[in-house]
Amino acid sequence: SMLALVGARFVRPSASAARSVPLVLRCWESIEASAVRKGDVLEMDKKRWTVLKAQGIMVNRLAFVQTEMRDLETGNKRTLKMGGGMKVEKLFVTIEDYQFLYTQGDTAVFQHTTSFEPLELPVATIGHILSYLEDGQVVQVRVTSEGEALYVEPPRTANVDVVRCDGKSAELANGRIIAVPGFVKDGDKVVVNVADETYLSKVDR
């Protein structure tokens, strides 16, 4: 699941190498809950949350938005039902491409694909996503208008070898364990939805 990069060390390049950042008067806007969408970053209760799910529902003829969100600092999830007209603060964010380079101790090191500026992120905050990244792989990082890295977008899928399988669960080559159908065997390669670590299919050999 996608996890926070709050507090990540963001190393800025020299002025000549710096990438352009859109000029904005503030880093957030006030929107109605009915406009909240998956992927938005909200600031609520002095915390920042990424929206994992947002669905409009009707309760006693009143419109609400049922959301599932993740705390960008702790990684904890919460569900929240908001009135459709409720005002919330949505952060302005952009998506930047970074190349995963390596891990060193408890730090993962990335590099911007065009400006080549480095970005150091705590391994713990990236969570299981890191297990599915290969050296040199390009990932998308959501960044505020002020240049603060918020979180890494998980790759949509990953193909991973099965080390051992008991007919219900499989241990993957990256050390992760996922639920699989009974026909998956040792040595198979499977396609995994990285965001929630669910099995999608087998890879034809």
Side-chain angles (χ1 to χ4, degrees):
S1 54
M2 57 182 81
L3 292 182
L5 306 180
V6 172
R9 181 183 173 194
F10 194 86
V11 185
R12 290 197 173 279
S14 63
S16 60
R19 57 188 168 84
S20 61
V21 176
L23 179 63
V24 294
L25 297 179
R26 58 184 182 183
C27 62
W28 56 270
E29 63 176 332
S30 180
I31 64 171
E32 291 188 350
S34 59
V36 171
R37 298 291 183 267
K38 177 181 177 181
D40 287 347
V41 178
L42 307 181
E43 191 160 287
M44 304 174 65
D45 304 325
K46 298 182 179 180
K47 294 183 178 182
R48 290 177 174 179
W49 306 81
T50 179
V51 179
L52 305 179
K53 298 178 183 178
Q55 181 180 8
I57 60 174
M58 296 295 293
V59 179
N60 297 328
R61 298 183 180 180
L62 297 177
F64 291 87
V65 178
Q66 184 73 37
T67 63
E68 180 179 338
M69 300 184 291
R70 185 185 299 280
D71 186 327
L72 287 181
E73 184 172 4
T74 66
N76 295 332
K77 290 183 181 180
R78 70 180 289 191
T79 57
L80 180 64
K81 184 170 67 177
M82 299 182 288
M86 175 181 172
K87 293 289 188 178
V88 294
E89 293 181 359
K90 173 186 171 182
L91 294 181
F92 291 125
V93 298
T94 58
I95 297 177
E96 302 282 354
D97 288 337
Y98 281 83
Q99 184 179 40
F100 172 58
L101 299 181
Y102 57 87
T103 58
Q104 184 173 19
D106 59 359
T107 300
V109 181
F110 297 77
Q111 185 179 65
H112 196 275
T113 56
T114 56
S115 70
F116 306 112
E117 63 189 66
L119 177 64
E120 297 180 355
L121 308 173
V123 168
T125 63
I126 305 175
H128 76 272
I129 295 172
L130 189 60
S131 299
Y132 293 92
L133 299 185
E134 299 180 357
D135 292 351
Q137 183 171 349
V138 174
V139 296
Q140 294 183 324
V141 178
R142 293 207 175 226
V143 181
T144 70
S145 57
E146 297 174 328
E148 178 187 0
L150 293 175
Y151 64 87
V152 169
E153 291 278 4
R156 186 172 182 180
T157 62
N159 295 353
V160 192
D161 289 324
V162 174
V163 175
R164 61 179 60 86
C165 186
D166 62 8
K168 294 182 179 180
S169 61
E171 180 182 347
L172 305 180
N174 60 9
R176 306 296 296 178
I177 297 176
I178 65 170
V180 294
F183 55 78
V184 174
K185 307 298 181 185
D186 295 1
D188 284 346
K189 184 182 288 287
V190 296
V191 182
V192 180
N193 181 326
V194 176
D196 58 10
E197 293 191 285
T198 53
Y199 165 90
L200 294 178
S201 64
K202 284 177 60 173
V203 177
D204 294 333
R205 294 288 188 175

